[in-house]
DNA sequence: CAAGTCTGTCACCAAGCTGTAACAGATCGG
DNA sequence: CCGATCTGTTACAGCTTGGTGACAGACTTG
């Protein structure tokens, strides 16, 4: 599901225009007509990004941005400023508030979504996941490598994700349905038995180093990754 | 230690804000309120880069840039112009004077530092980073050279930046999107598959010395530069 | 300005991966 | 020991992904 974006813009026409484009691009959109309204929205639920008009009645976008930067909870909230074509004042403000990007009106929908994507990618660079290690098996998501001692194992994408999940949730039994949800994704419709096949493929690869025994079958319940012996 | 940057800007507020952001980004900052003052600073110590406001009282930024280009000592000094206007004419004139880049107000702090880095990488004779070395391949940003043992390799600009990024972030998998952000830049609209083509071109060149195997494809995830065997 | 270089895109092909079905084997309760 | 379930294994057709060569346009460079 797309990111949750809060659009703060007093001009209804522009707000609608932006909202429609964001929705079409697959984002979830919330709206606010003023900085005050925006604060309430943010207090309720932290959005993933704010599109903030810098000229607003009452508290200006600049003021809001400034306040958001002060609060720990909202300090890292990505902000994209919407500005009219302008000069010096904007520059001062922009540097001061530390907005993540600027989009100058008029802007194309394509430009807007491209910038949003860029900022989101930049801000949330999948917090460097740690490498896992279970029973002599090592898996590092950053390098996308699986190794057992000196030997390195080659896994397909699905087997990799499957092993990744198992290694980050070891010693627990996971039903086929749970595995499908976690590894394949909730919305995917796939036969339960498919899990078996991938478990088999995973085991076949792990067997190269004898680590296939880590994956245990729990009859009637599912599978479990465990460093302990089987019984 | 960061590069030494001279900020030439007559408006105190803007100068301060720029300075604060550059300091935060790890640069050393010197300030000048006029072109004349800037000349004295430069005469005293040659900075690594100049941020030059287009409009200055007395001698304009353009004039200063032009003069710097005439002196052998300052001919290769990187210059980034700050301008409020965005018209084509300005850019033409600016490029004529030999500015290395243009930053149009308003701009984000990130944009500014990104441009500075880009210009430094491209031009700076002494402020650049160190050479990298992976798996017998050497890349020196200062001399803009890539060599494998005795042999020297010729790369196009994009391939060079791509290899540079990979070599400074080895062993990690980078998705196409990440590579586009890092090597091409956030604001560029380019097809993801274009990365493939440049990877291929890079590999083709590296194949001259057998180093093409360093670049590994991680199916479904992206690419990785690694000294370890492919597997 | 002309030749050459670099870039981004595309179409096509090869290779690898995936989900299913079908069958074989294993396990369990009685 | 038997039937009923559950799981392991295999083969395979279809799909997705990445590699490759060609090409037009932009950009350099002499």
């Amino acid at each position: 599901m797309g990111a949750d974006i809060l659009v703060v813009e007093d001009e209804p026409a522009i707000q609608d225009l932006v909202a429609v484009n964001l929705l079409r691009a697959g984002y979830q959109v919330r709206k606010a007509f003023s900085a005050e309204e925006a604060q309430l929205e943010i207090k309720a639920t932290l959005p993933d990004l704010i599109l903030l008009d810098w000229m607003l009645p009452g508290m200006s976008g600049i003021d809001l941005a400034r306040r958001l930067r002060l609060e720990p909870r909202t300090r890292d909230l990505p902000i994209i400023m919407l500005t009219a074509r302008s000069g010096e004042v904007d520059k001062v403000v922009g540097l001061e508030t530390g907005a993540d990007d600027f989009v100058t009106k008029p802007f194309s929908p394509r430009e807007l979504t491209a910038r949003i994507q860029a900022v989101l990618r930049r801000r949330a660079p999948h917090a460097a996941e740690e490498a896992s290690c279970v029973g002599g098996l090592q898996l590092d998501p950053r390098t996308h490598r699986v190794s057992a001692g000196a030997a390195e194992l080659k896994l397909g994408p699905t087997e990799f994700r499957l092993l990744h999940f198992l290694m980050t949730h070891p010693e627990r039994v996971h039903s086929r349905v749970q595995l499908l949800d976690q590894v394949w994704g909730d919305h995917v419709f796939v036969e339960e038995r498919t899990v078996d096949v991938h478990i088999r493929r995973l085991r076949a690869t792990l067997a190269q180093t004898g680590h296939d025994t880590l994956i245990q079958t729990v009859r009637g319940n599912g599978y479990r990754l465990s460093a302990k012996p089987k019984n």
Side-chain angles (χ1 to χ4, degrees), chain A residues 90-103:
Chain A
D90 283 9
K91 175 181 161 191
V92 174
V93 165
L95 288 170
E96 193 179 359
T97 59
D100 292 85
D101 204 351
F102 284 82
V103 177

Side-chain angles (χ1 to χ4, degrees), chain A residues 124-193:
Chain A
H126 265 282
E129 287 178 272
E130 298 284 315
S132 326
C133 184
V134 174
L137 245 195
Q138 287 174 297
L139 180 148
D140 190 338
R142 289 173 300 234
T143 61
H144 210 272
R145 282 191 141 121
V146 180
S147 55
E152 191 151 313
L153 299 172
K154 182 172 177 286
L155 294 176
T158 304
E159 280 79 51
F160 186 90
R161 291 200 308 276
L162 180 56
L163 179 60
H164 185 22
F165 175 75
L166 290 175
M167 288 185 73
T168 50
H169 303 82
E171 307 300 339
R172 266 177 66 169
V173 181
H174 308 283
S175 71
R176 290 177 177 72
V177 173
Q178 287 173 325
L179 288 173
L180 283 176
D181 281 353
Q182 297 289 330
V183 179
W184 275 255
D186 303 323
H187 52 289
V188 183
F189 172 68
V190 174
E191 284 292 324
E192 273 189 41
R193 290 305 308 284

Side-chain angles (χ1 to χ4, degrees), chain A residues 21 112 205:
Chain A
N21 278 291
L112 186 61
T205 306

Side-chain angles (χ1 to χ4, degrees), chain A residues 63-117:
Chain A
D63 292 332
L64 177 57
R66 217 173 263 147
R67 292 192 189 203
L68 292 175
R69 286 291 179 250
L70 291 178
E71 292 280 333
R73 179 161 172 267
T74 55
R75 180 164 298 151
D76 295 326
L77 186 54
I79 298 175
I80 294 182
M81 285 285 208
L82 299 177
T83 72
R85 199 168 281 285
S86 53
E88 305 291 317
V89 185
D90 283 9
K91 175 181 161 191
V92 174
V93 165
L95 288 170
E96 193 179 359
T97 59
D100 292 85
D101 204 351
F102 284 82
V103 177
T104 310
K105 301 175 191 173
F107 47 81
S108 69
R110 192 181 170 204
E111 179 182 1
L112 186 61
T113 53
R115 300 248 178 145
I116 287 172
Q117 282 179 342

Side-chain angles (χ1 to χ4, degrees), chain A residues 8 27 38 41 45 59 64 71 129 139 148 151 213-214:
Chain A
V8 190
Y27 294 107
E41 283 287 344
T45 312
M59 191 195 301
L64 177 57
E71 292 280 333
E129 287 178 272
L139 180 148
T213 52
L214 294 182

